[in-house]
């Protein structure tokens, strides 16, 4: 890691991260018309961000009350909101903001994390970073819809409208924290007749972010639907490696080839045994090389690796999965690669569940808008998630407080209550207050100039 006082480390502190969002918001193209100009776009963006960062749907109401009672408020001191807009104003103005303008913040933060060595522990034994892709629903309704909605007609005549995003996140073997990279939204393409797909979204994402993968030795991890011949070829052309789940139902030809190679003795096998404290776990691994991803002459030939874990005592299958890759897998490195490939579940557990189950107040607070609203809110929610991930790696007081409070929920409950009743002049002030009252010694944050905050 570079020096704790390096400018790049400073860029990963809470105030700098919020400052960057503020600059982004100030530079948004302003497409509003008429009497909408009362609020600065930065106040609208930072206010919405504050809701997600505090995971408190009532945060802005509480701060309006505090401003009335005390003449100051935490939306201003923590997030730099000059004048808190109403929920209606936030809804109306954010609907005009294309979330793409916010995406560079994810990319810049990632570059800074790499530059300061914060992701060194995330690298695999081959020196690579793992990036998981996964499609996530973030809106679904039978009534509310917009031009960007996906539509699904049911046999009883009803229609489900939904929004899906391709979420992406840096994950690491045995690393609990994940770091979102820019998402790609699924929207109707070529007019409104043709539905978008996760694989099409992944191709668009790759066109835009191949450089990130190439520059930082990123390996893509994804579920079976991404293990798709044209997409994998696109990756090969871009020189990007992948470890994708490969299921028998969707890869019949590949599994037939593996069966044939098995019969001719051309599949490599490895069996290991582990004691889990109660039973013996037998892991059977196998590798088959040069197998086609699909039933065409031009199909990509991949390496197939498979892992089956069973209990020796009762014969139960505990885990089974096959993967396709072009990485250099051998019997020596097989277990390592399978572990990397299995790290994909982190994006489901850490990233998506957190978004879905906690602080996911998008619909009933703001509605879904007619243009960009739901996508922009989702992007700000992801950005808040990213900022928390960064702080959990880069901010000693944040680490102390989070570790002491145990669960995420307790941390956010406390932040909600504290920011309702007390005024803090900075985010570090809030963390220091929490650390002091938890009777854990806060770590003094020292500026490069030597001043203690
Ligand atoms: Zn919609």
């Amino acid at each position: 890691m570079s020096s704790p006082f390096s400018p790049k480390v400073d860029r990963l502190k809470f105030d700098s991260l919020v400052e960057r969002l503020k600059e982004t918001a100030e530079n948004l193209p302003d497409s509003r018309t008429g009497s909408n100009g009362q609020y600065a776009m930065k106040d609208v963006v930072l206010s919405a961000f504050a809701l997600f960062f505090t995971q408190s749907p009532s945060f802005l109401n509480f701060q309006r009350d505090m401003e009335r009672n005390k003449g100051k408020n935490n939306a201003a001191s923590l997030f730099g909101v000059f004048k808190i807009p109403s929920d209606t104003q936030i809804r109306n103005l954010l609907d005009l903001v294309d979330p793409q303008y916010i995406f560079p913040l994810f990319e810049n933060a990632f570059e800074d994390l790499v530059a300061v060595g914060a992701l060194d522990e995330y690298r695999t034994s081959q020196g690579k970073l793992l990036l998981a892709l996964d499609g996530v629903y973030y809106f679904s309704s039978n009534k509310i819809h917009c031009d960007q909605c996906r539509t699904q007609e049911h046999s009883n005549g009803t229609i489900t409208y939904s929004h899906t995003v391709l979420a992406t996140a840096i994950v690491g073997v045995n690393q609990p924290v994940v770091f979102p990279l820019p998402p790609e939204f699924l929207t109707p393409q070529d007019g409104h007749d043709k539905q978008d797909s996760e694989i099409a979204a992944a191709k668009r994402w790759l066109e835009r972010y191949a450089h990130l993968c190439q520059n930082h030795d990123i390996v893509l991890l994804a579920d079976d639907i991404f293990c798709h011949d044209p997409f994998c070829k696109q990756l090969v052309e871009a020189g990007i490696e992948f470890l994708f789940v490969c299921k028998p139902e969707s890869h019949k030809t590949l599994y037939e080839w593996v069966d044939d190679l098995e019969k001719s003795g051309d599949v490599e096998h490895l069996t290991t045994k582990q004691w889990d404290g109660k039973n013996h776990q037998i892991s059977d691994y196998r590798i088959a090389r040069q197998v086609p991803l699909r039933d065409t002459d031009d199909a990509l030939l991949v390496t197939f690796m498979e892992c089956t874990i069973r209990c020796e005592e009762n014969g139960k299958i505990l885990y089974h999965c096959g993967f396709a890759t072009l990485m250099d897998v051998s019997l020596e490195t097989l277990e390592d690669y399978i572990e990397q490939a299995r790290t994909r579940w982190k994006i489901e557990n850490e990233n998506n569940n957190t978004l879905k189950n906690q602080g996911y107040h998008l619909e009933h607070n703001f509605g879904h808008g007619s243009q960009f609203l739901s996508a922009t809110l989702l992007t700000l929610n992801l950005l808040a998630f990213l900022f928390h991930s960064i702080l959990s790696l880069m901010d000693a007081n944040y680490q102390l407080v989070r570790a002491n409070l145990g669960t995420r929920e307790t941390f956010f409950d406390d932040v909600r209550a504290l920011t309702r009743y007390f005024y803090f002049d900075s985010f570090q002030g809030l963390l220091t207050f929490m650390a002091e009252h938890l009777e854990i010694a806060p770590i003094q944050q020292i500026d490069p100039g030597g001043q203690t905050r």
Side-chain angles (χ1 to χ4, degrees):
M1 270 222 197
S2 42
S3 144
F5 304 133
S6 82
K8 287 216 166 86
V9 169
D10 276 349
R11 281 165 61 81
L12 291 163
K13 289 182 177 163
F14 177 81
D15 291 345
S16 310
L17 293 168
V18 171
E19 183 62 28
R20 286 201 238 176
L21 176 59
K22 184 179 143 208
E23 282 166 17
T24 301
E26 281 171 342
N27 291 312
L28 287 171
D30 200 336
S31 51
R32 62 187 137 172
T33 51
S35 59
N36 254 341
Q38 191 190 352
Y39 289 94
M41 200 52 120
K42 96 169 165 55
D43 283 348
V44 169
V45 171
L46 291 170
S47 294
F49 174 79
L51 292 178
F52 297 122
F53 188 82
T54 58
Q55 306 271 300
S56 170
S58 307
F59 180 76
L60 298 176
N61 284 336
F62 295 157
Q63 302 316 311
R64 285 185 201 106
D65 291 345
M66 187 182 279
E67 181 61 40
R68 264 195 301 277
N69 299 332
K70 300 187 180 176
K72 52 190 180 180
N73 73 81
N74 291 306
S77 59
L78 306 189
F79 299 98
V81 176
F82 179 69
K83 190 175 180 189
I84 305 172
S86 72
D87 290 358
T88 308
Q89 283 152 337
I90 293 176
R91 188 164 43 230
N92 291 345
L93 292 178
L94 276 190
D95 198 27
L96 307 173
V97 174
D98 187 333
Q100 297 202 18
Y101 291 108
I102 301 165
F103 292 172
L105 290 168
F106 291 86
E107 202 178 334
N108 296 341
F110 169 69
E111 296 277 8
D112 286 343
L113 284 166
V114 171
V116 301
L119 298 180
D120 289 356
E121 301 280 301
Y122 279 69
R123 294 210 176 258
T124 65
S125 31
Q126 295 81 30
K128 316 265 184 190
L129 286 173
L130 304 172
L131 178 78
L133 309 178
D134 198 14
V136 199
Y137 276 102
Y138 65 95
F139 175 83
S140 175
S141 170
N142 292 322
K143 283 186 237 147
I144 303 168
H145 59 98
C146 69
D147 289 349
Q148 309 294 316
C149 272
R150 286 177 107 184
T151 53
Q152 196 188 348
E153 287 179 39
H154 304 286
S155 51
N156 64 2
T158 61
I159 299 177
T160 301
Y161 301 97
S162 65
H163 283 241
T164 306
V165 65
L166 178 76
T168 67
I170 296 289
V171 298
V173 175
N174 299 324
Q175 299 292 338
V177 179
V178 309
F179 295 88
L181 281 181
E184 177 69 36
F185 288 93
L186 274 71
T187 52
Q189 305 288 303
D190 306 322
H192 298 162
D193 298 337
K194 195 178 161 203
Q195 302 261 351
D196 199 6
S197 68
E198 291 181 35
I199 196 81
K203 286 180 185 172
R204 291 197 302 275
W205 187 91
L206 187 66
E207 279 163 22
R208 197 178 303 179
Y209 298 109
H211 64 278
L212 274 188
C213 302
Q214 292 154 346
N215 295 345
H216 298 291
D217 278 336
I218 286 175
V219 177
L220 297 192
L221 310 179
D223 203 354
D224 184 73
I225 58 161
F226 297 93
C227 192
H228 185 242
D229 189 82
F231 181 54
C232 293
K233 281 179 182 153
Q234 194 186 343
L235 290 172
V236 172
E237 256 172 54
I240 298 166
E241 292 181 295
F242 59 88
L243 279 168
F244 288 160
V245 172
C246 180
K247 290 184 178 167
E249 311 85 67
S250 42
H251 295 86
K252 286 201 169 70
T253 305
L254 180 143
Y255 276 82
E256 282 165 17
W257 273 64
V258 173
D259 284 348
D260 287 346
L261 289 171
E262 191 69 81
K263 282 172 201 150
S264 61
D266 291 318
V267 173
E268 296 160 64
H269 286 265
L270 174 75
T271 299
T272 63
K273 188 164 160 176
Q274 267 187 327
W275 176 247
D276 69 2
K278 272 188 189 165
N279 294 304
H280 289 97
Q281 288 190 3
I282 309 287
S283 302
D284 288 315
Y285 299 95
R286 57 179 186 159
I287 309 174
R289 298 179 195 280
Q290 298 279 312
V291 287
L293 259 187
R294 65 175 178 186
D295 187 17
T296 58
D297 290 341
D298 67 344
L300 186 68
L301 300 177
V302 297
T303 300
F304 171 76
M305 56 180 190
E306 190 181 47
C307 172
T308 308
I309 304 176
R310 64 190 155 83
C311 173
E312 188 178 49
E313 284 75 8
N314 61 25
K316 257 193 191 163
I317 302 289
L318 305 170
Y319 175 81
H320 171 85
C321 201
F323 301 94
T325 186
L326 283 174
M327 298 213 284
D328 186 19
V329 184
S330 67
L331 288 180
E332 286 71 42
T333 54
L334 180 58
E335 284 177 275
D336 187 13
Y337 280 115
I338 295 272
E339 192 178 24
Q340 291 173 28
R342 290 182 68 182
T343 307
R344 189 195 68 82
W345 64 265
K346 274 188 193 294
I347 193 172
E348 289 179 2
N349 284 350
E350 306 293 333
N351 199 14
N352 299 345
N353 281 343
T354 306
L355 284 173
K356 277 181 193 166
N357 304 332
Q358 297 164 38
Y360 187 60
H361 308 285
L362 303 179
E363 298 117 63
H364 57 265
N365 275 318
F366 287 109
H368 127 290
S370 58
Q371 206 177 349
F372 295 120
L373 183 63
S374 63
T376 300
L377 290 172
L378 192 275
T379 304
L380 290 172
N381 203 354
L382 274 173
L383 190 70
F385 185 89
L386 171 66
F387 283 14
H388 280 289
S389 289
I390 293 172
L391 294 174
S392 66
L393 222 65
M394 304 299 296
D395 187 308
N397 279 341
Y398 184 93
Q399 287 168 355
L400 266 183
V401 170
R402 282 291 298 267
N404 191 271
L405 291 177
T407 68
R408 219 183 118 78
E409 288 83 353
T410 312
F411 174 77
F412 286 111
D413 285 347
D414 287 5
V415 167
R416 255 192 296 277
L418 287 171
T419 54
R420 177 175 188 177
Y421 295 110
F422 299 107
Y423 170 80
F424 297 94
D425 59 5
S426 67
F427 184 64
Q428 274 307 327
L430 168 64
L431 289 177
T432 305
F433 177 94
M434 292 172 90
E436 279 172 1
H437 288 263
L438 289 165
E439 301 194 349
I440 45 180
I443 293 173
Q444 288 191 328
Q445 304 280 315
I446 299 169
D447 282 335
Q451 280 185 323
T452 307
R453 266 180 237 164

